[in-house]
Amino acid sequence: MGTQQKIDSRKQDPQQEQKTFTVEEAVETIGFGRFHIALFLIMGSTGVAEAMEIMLIAVVSPLIRCEWQLNDWQVALVTTMVFFGYMVFSILFGLLADRYGRWKILLISFIWGAYFSLLTSFSPTYTWLIIKTEFLPMKYRGFMLPLSQVFWLAGSLLIIGLASVLNPTIGWRWLIRIASIPGIILILAFKFIPESARYNVSTGNKEAAVATLQKIARLNHSAMPEGILVEPANARRGRFRDLLDPKYLRTTLQIWIIWLGISFAYYGVILASAELLERDMVCSLQTVAKPELRDDSQESHSPCHCRFFAPSDYQIMIISTIGEIALNPLNILGINFLGRRLTLSITMGCTALFFLLLNICTTSSGLTGFLFMLRALVAANFNTIYIYTAEVYPTTMRALGMGTSGSLCRVGAMVAPFIAQVLMSTSFLGALCLFAGVCGVCAISAFTLPIETKGRALQQMK
């Protein structure tokens, strides 16, 4: 009789015997393995394609300036309109990703980008030209995400190398067509990328979430945690007003300031570098530059400053671009030991300093060194704020948080051309002081962020 009572008791209260786990616990239990390496390579390779698209702006600007006889503001507007499109679709795709899933929106956005990248090469006139984080165990995020900068570096170096060969021979249109090839090829690799398990749980689709986690465990030769997935669905997802909820309001506003400033500085460095080389605006280059490296036959004294890059200019661009991984080891150490906020504050402050140092009259080697350090610092800034933003918001609003931050990032990128390509031609010191001032504000904003995410698990719900 006593045995029968025990059996009945278990039937009445099965939860006492049933083990449970969350997505975060499953990700941590499965650990890091082959799945994450493959995902890292695929998603990192998208960085190669995107970096090529961004660097195209710098290496093509002198050519379209000459071909279409553009003024400074017209050249700047080309870049601005590119990032205006990024800004609009960052918000749109962020909303859609939180509502309809990461995978679908990621694929659509990549196909969209590859198509219009290829279409750009056929521009007949000036007018025409106009998931990773959620699968990584917590202790690996601060290491793997900064390492993805290697792919961005590879894309930047590849496009500079191609430009040095193709621009003087078959022209910038073919450069753009060839640059679109990696993006088209990578679309085929998206089949490997699963939908976010965190997203599936947030929509109540636990079966799909478990299937994804089981697949990852198999690929990693690891085991799933015992029990059942118990996280409840949350029907309220991807609402803009959640970002301005009192719990996140201060964090959101400061993150937006930082994203805007980092982007402003990053694209300012890239475009300012091209302008310095194209116009010989630094005194040392005017006096030390070797005439034999310049192609005087291609240079004109028209108001649009038509002059193509020389081989030495491409060399300086390559060396300074390599700087984007120079601080990666220190950046990784800072992120994981000093924390996200302090690390970002330090690198932003140093970025402001090196913008001011760029005004010093120096040799060509000195200019290259300053540009090298600036590229290293602005890349470190991007690494840190990306990790912080992905960690500070819960799953139900993470994609929207990243999307809106990306839009503010594009605002900074839209403004940068008018400072680096227009203001710099009239007031070199004024432009540099503006870049430095914005970086200083961002350093203060980073230092005073209310939440530190180092060592904190990704949040599921608000």
mmCIF file with all atom_site columns, all heavy atoms in Angstrom, residues 7 13 110 218 259 327 336 365 369 393 454:
data_model
loop_
_atom_site.group_PDB
_atom_site.id
_atom_site.type_symbol
_atom_site.label_atom_id
_atom_site.label_alt_id
_atom_site.label_comp_id
_atom_site.label_asym_id
_atom_site.label_entity_id
_atom_site.label_seq_id
_atom_site.pdbx_PDB_ins_code
_atom_site.Cartn_x
_atom_site.Cartn_y
_atom_site.Cartn_z
_atom_site.occupancy
_atom_site.B_iso_or_equiv
_atom_site.pdbx_formal_charge
_atom_site.auth_seq_id
_atom_site.auth_comp_id
_atom_site.auth_asym_id
_atom_site.auth_atom_id
_atom_site.pdbx_PDB_model_num
ATOM 1  N N   . ILE A 1 7   ? 3.985  5.947  -5.747  1.00 0.00 ? 7   ILE A N   1
ATOM 2  C CA  . ILE A 1 7   ? 3.801  6.043  -7.203  1.00 0.00 ? 7   ILE A CA  1
ATOM 3  C C   . ILE A 1 7   ? 2.784  7.124  -7.532  1.00 0.00 ? 7   ILE A C   1
ATOM 4  O O   . ILE A 1 7   ? 2.975  7.948  -8.421  1.00 0.00 ? 7   ILE A O   1
ATOM 5  C CB  . ILE A 1 7   ? 3.354  4.681  -7.783  1.00 0.00 ? 7   ILE A CB  1
ATOM 6  C CG1 . ILE A 1 7   ? 4.493  3.665  -7.626  1.00 0.00 ? 7   ILE A CG1 1
ATOM 7  C CG2 . ILE A 1 7   ? 2.961  4.823  -9.245  1.00 0.00 ? 7   ILE A CG2 1
ATOM 8  C CD1 . ILE A 1 7   ? 4.103  2.261  -8.034  1.00 0.00 ? 7   ILE A CD1 1
ATOM 9  N N   . ASP A 1 13  ? 2.975  14.987 -8.858  1.00 0.00 ? 13  ASP A N   1
ATOM 10 C CA  . ASP A 1 13  ? 3.941  16.095 -8.828  1.00 0.00 ? 13  ASP A CA  1
ATOM 11 C C   . ASP A 1 13  ? 5.192  15.719 -9.623  1.00 0.00 ? 13  ASP A C   1
ATOM 12 O O   . ASP A 1 13  ? 6.267  15.508 -9.065  1.00 0.00 ? 13  ASP A O   1
ATOM 13 C CB  . ASP A 1 13  ? 4.304  16.424 -7.381  1.00 0.00 ? 13  ASP A CB  1
ATOM 14 C CG  . ASP A 1 13  ? 5.024  17.766 -7.269  1.00 0.00 ? 13  ASP A CG  1
ATOM 15 O OD1 . ASP A 1 13  ? 5.091  18.457 -8.296  1.00 0.00 ? 13  ASP A OD1 1
ATOM 16 O OD2 . ASP A 1 13  ? 5.512  18.098 -6.173  1.00 0.00 ? 13  ASP A OD2 1
ATOM 17 N N   . PHE A 1 110 ? 21.789 39.940 -46.813 1.00 0.00 ? 110 PHE A N   1
ATOM 18 C CA  . PHE A 1 110 ? 23.026 39.649 -47.533 1.00 0.00 ? 110 PHE A CA  1
ATOM 19 C C   . PHE A 1 110 ? 22.789 39.558 -49.036 1.00 0.00 ? 110 PHE A C   1
ATOM 20 O O   . PHE A 1 110 ? 23.594 40.034 -49.843 1.00 0.00 ? 110 PHE A O   1
ATOM 21 C CB  . PHE A 1 110 ? 23.632 38.351 -47.010 1.00 0.00 ? 110 PHE A CB  1
ATOM 22 C CG  . PHE A 1 110 ? 25.127 38.344 -47.054 1.00 0.00 ? 110 PHE A CG  1
ATOM 23 C CD1 . PHE A 1 110 ? 25.847 39.133 -46.168 1.00 0.00 ? 110 PHE A CD1 1
ATOM 24 C CD2 . PHE A 1 110 ? 25.822 37.596 -47.974 1.00 0.00 ? 110 PHE A CD2 1
ATOM 25 C CE1 . PHE A 1 110 ? 27.225 39.153 -46.201 1.00 0.00 ? 110 PHE A CE1 1
ATOM 26 C CE2 . PHE A 1 110 ? 27.205 37.608 -48.023 1.00 0.00 ? 110 PHE A CE2 1
ATOM 27 C CZ  . PHE A 1 110 ? 27.913 38.387 -47.132 1.00 0.00 ? 110 PHE A CZ  1
ATOM 28 N N   . ARG A 1 218 ? 26.048 17.628 -31.207 1.00 0.00 ? 218 ARG A N   1
ATOM 29 C CA  . ARG A 1 218 ? 26.582 16.540 -32.026 1.00 0.00 ? 218 ARG A CA  1
ATOM 30 C C   . ARG A 1 218 ? 27.848 16.980 -32.763 1.00 0.00 ? 218 ARG A C   1
ATOM 31 O O   . ARG A 1 218 ? 28.844 16.249 -32.814 1.00 0.00 ? 218 ARG A O   1
ATOM 32 C CB  . ARG A 1 218 ? 25.534 16.053 -33.029 1.00 0.00 ? 218 ARG A CB  1
ATOM 33 C CG  . ARG A 1 218 ? 24.405 15.255 -32.411 1.00 0.00 ? 218 ARG A CG  1
ATOM 34 C CD  . ARG A 1 218 ? 23.616 14.510 -33.485 1.00 0.00 ? 218 ARG A CD  1
ATOM 35 N NE  . ARG A 1 218 ? 23.070 15.411 -34.478 1.00 0.00 ? 218 ARG A NE  1
ATOM 36 C CZ  . ARG A 1 218 ? 21.873 15.999 -34.383 1.00 0.00 ? 218 ARG A CZ  1
ATOM 37 N NH1 . ARG A 1 218 ? 21.114 15.768 -33.321 1.00 0.00 ? 218 ARG A NH1 1
ATOM 38 N NH2 . ARG A 1 218 ? 21.435 16.792 -35.337 1.00 0.00 ? 218 ARG A NH2 1
ATOM 39 N N   . TRP A 1 259 ? 28.200 54.613 -30.278 1.00 0.00 ? 259 TRP A N   1
ATOM 40 C CA  . TRP A 1 259 ? 28.175 54.052 -31.633 1.00 0.00 ? 259 TRP A CA  1
ATOM 41 C C   . TRP A 1 259 ? 28.346 55.143 -32.686 1.00 0.00 ? 259 TRP A C   1
ATOM 42 O O   . TRP A 1 259 ? 29.092 54.980 -33.650 1.00 0.00 ? 259 TRP A O   1
ATOM 43 C CB  . TRP A 1 259 ? 26.861 53.303 -31.875 1.00 0.00 ? 259 TRP A CB  1
ATOM 44 C CG  . TRP A 1 259 ? 26.870 51.860 -31.466 1.00 0.00 ? 259 TRP A CG  1
ATOM 45 C CD1 . TRP A 1 259 ? 26.376 51.331 -30.315 1.00 0.00 ? 259 TRP A CD1 1
ATOM 46 C CD2 . TRP A 1 259 ? 27.406 50.762 -32.216 1.00 0.00 ? 259 TRP A CD2 1
ATOM 47 N NE1 . TRP A 1 259 ? 26.566 49.963 -30.300 1.00 0.00 ? 259 TRP A NE1 1
ATOM 48 C CE2 . TRP A 1 259 ? 27.183 49.591 -31.447 1.00 0.00 ? 259 TRP A CE2 1
ATOM 49 C CE3 . TRP A 1 259 ? 28.031 50.646 -33.441 1.00 0.00 ? 259 TRP A CE3 1
ATOM 50 C CZ2 . TRP A 1 259 ? 27.583 48.328 -31.883 1.00 0.00 ? 259 TRP A CZ2 1
ATOM 51 C CZ3 . TRP A 1 259 ? 28.424 49.394 -33.891 1.00 0.00 ? 259 TRP A CZ3 1
ATOM 52 C CH2 . TRP A 1 259 ? 28.198 48.254 -33.111 1.00 0.00 ? 259 TRP A CH2 1
ATOM 53 N N   . LEU A 1 327 ? 46.163 45.954 -32.041 1.00 0.00 ? 327 LEU A N   1
ATOM 54 C CA  . LEU A 1 327 ? 45.807 46.020 -30.623 1.00 0.00 ? 327 LEU A CA  1
ATOM 55 C C   . LEU A 1 327 ? 44.882 44.887 -30.186 1.00 0.00 ? 327 LEU A C   1
ATOM 56 O O   . LEU A 1 327 ? 44.393 44.904 -29.047 1.00 0.00 ? 327 LEU A O   1
ATOM 57 C CB  . LEU A 1 327 ? 45.141 47.369 -30.318 1.00 0.00 ? 327 LEU A CB  1
ATOM 58 C CG  . LEU A 1 327 ? 46.037 48.602 -30.379 1.00 0.00 ? 327 LEU A CG  1
ATOM 59 C CD1 . LEU A 1 327 ? 45.253 49.848 -29.971 1.00 0.00 ? 327 LEU A CD1 1
ATOM 60 C CD2 . LEU A 1 327 ? 47.252 48.443 -29.465 1.00 0.00 ? 327 LEU A CD2 1
ATOM 61 N N   . ASN A 1 336 ? 38.418 41.319 -21.163 1.00 0.00 ? 336 ASN A N   1
ATOM 62 C CA  . ASN A 1 336 ? 38.180 40.202 -20.252 1.00 0.00 ? 336 ASN A CA  1
ATOM 63 C C   . ASN A 1 336 ? 38.664 40.433 -18.830 1.00 0.00 ? 336 ASN A C   1
ATOM 64 O O   . ASN A 1 336 ? 38.209 39.740 -17.907 1.00 0.00 ? 336 ASN A O   1
ATOM 65 C CB  . ASN A 1 336 ? 38.823 38.930 -20.821 1.00 0.00 ? 336 ASN A CB  1
ATOM 66 C CG  . ASN A 1 336 ? 38.103 38.415 -22.044 1.00 0.00 ? 336 ASN A CG  1
ATOM 67 O OD1 . ASN A 1 336 ? 37.045 37.788 -21.930 1.00 0.00 ? 336 ASN A OD1 1
ATOM 68 N ND2 . ASN A 1 336 ? 38.637 38.674 -23.223 1.00 0.00 ? 336 ASN A ND2 1
ATOM 69 N N   . SER A 1 365 ? 56.884 58.422 -43.023 1.00 0.00 ? 365 SER A N   1
ATOM 70 C CA  . SER A 1 365 ? 56.859 57.291 -42.079 1.00 0.00 ? 365 SER A CA  1
ATOM 71 C C   . SER A 1 365 ? 56.091 57.660 -40.821 1.00 0.00 ? 365 SER A C   1
ATOM 72 O O   . SER A 1 365 ? 55.353 56.838 -40.256 1.00 0.00 ? 365 SER A O   1
ATOM 73 C CB  . SER A 1 365 ? 58.283 56.869 -41.718 1.00 0.00 ? 365 SER A CB  1
ATOM 74 O OG  . SER A 1 365 ? 58.978 56.415 -42.856 1.00 0.00 ? 365 SER A OG  1
ATOM 75 N N   . GLY A 1 369 ? 52.736 55.924 -39.331 1.00 0.00 ? 369 GLY A N   1
ATOM 76 C CA  . GLY A 1 369 ? 52.652 55.447 -37.950 1.00 0.00 ? 369 GLY A CA  1
ATOM 77 C C   . GLY A 1 369 ? 51.421 55.968 -37.232 1.00 0.00 ? 369 GLY A C   1
ATOM 78 O O   . GLY A 1 369 ? 50.736 55.220 -36.517 1.00 0.00 ? 369 GLY A O   1
ATOM 79 N N   . TYR A 1 393 ? 21.598 43.872 -23.736 1.00 0.00 ? 393 TYR A N   1
ATOM 80 C CA  . TYR A 1 393 ? 20.159 43.746 -23.981 1.00 0.00 ? 393 TYR A CA  1
ATOM 81 C C   . TYR A 1 393 ? 19.718 42.282 -23.907 1.00 0.00 ? 393 TYR A C   1
ATOM 82 O O   . TYR A 1 393 ? 20.474 41.380 -24.302 1.00 0.00 ? 393 TYR A O   1
ATOM 83 C CB  . TYR A 1 393 ? 19.796 44.301 -25.356 1.00 0.00 ? 393 TYR A CB  1
ATOM 84 C CG  . TYR A 1 393 ? 19.938 45.794 -25.484 1.00 0.00 ? 393 TYR A CG  1
ATOM 85 C CD1 . TYR A 1 393 ? 20.860 46.354 -26.363 1.00 0.00 ? 393 TYR A CD1 1
ATOM 86 C CD2 . TYR A 1 393 ? 19.146 46.661 -24.729 1.00 0.00 ? 393 TYR A CD2 1
ATOM 87 C CE1 . TYR A 1 393 ? 20.996 47.733 -26.491 1.00 0.00 ? 393 TYR A CE1 1
ATOM 88 C CE2 . TYR A 1 393 ? 19.276 48.032 -24.844 1.00 0.00 ? 393 TYR A CE2 1
ATOM 89 C CZ  . TYR A 1 393 ? 20.199 48.560 -25.724 1.00 0.00 ? 393 TYR A CZ  1
ATOM 90 O OH  . TYR A 1 393 ? 20.326 49.914 -25.841 1.00 0.00 ? 393 TYR A OH  1
ATOM 91 N N   . LYS A 1 454 ? 30.798 42.338 -18.243 1.00 0.00 ? 454 LYS A N   1
ATOM 92 C CA  . LYS A 1 454 ? 31.868 41.326 -18.130 1.00 0.00 ? 454 LYS A CA  1
ATOM 93 C C   . LYS A 1 454 ? 31.439 40.217 -17.166 1.00 0.00 ? 454 LYS A C   1
ATOM 94 O O   . LYS A 1 454 ? 31.060 40.470 -16.035 1.00 0.00 ? 454 LYS A O   1
ATOM 95 C CB  . LYS A 1 454 ? 33.161 41.964 -17.623 1.00 0.00 ? 454 LYS A CB  1
ATOM 96 C CG  . LYS A 1 454 ? 34.320 40.971 -17.493 1.00 0.00 ? 454 LYS A CG  1
ATOM 97 C CD  . LYS A 1 454 ? 35.606 41.673 -17.128 1.00 0.00 ? 454 LYS A CD  1
ATOM 98 C CE  . LYS A 1 454 ? 35.665 42.020 -15.645 1.00 0.00 ? 454 LYS A CE  1
ATOM 99 N NZ  . LYS A 1 454 ? 35.945 40.842 -14.804 1.00 0.00 ? 454 LYS A NZ  1
#
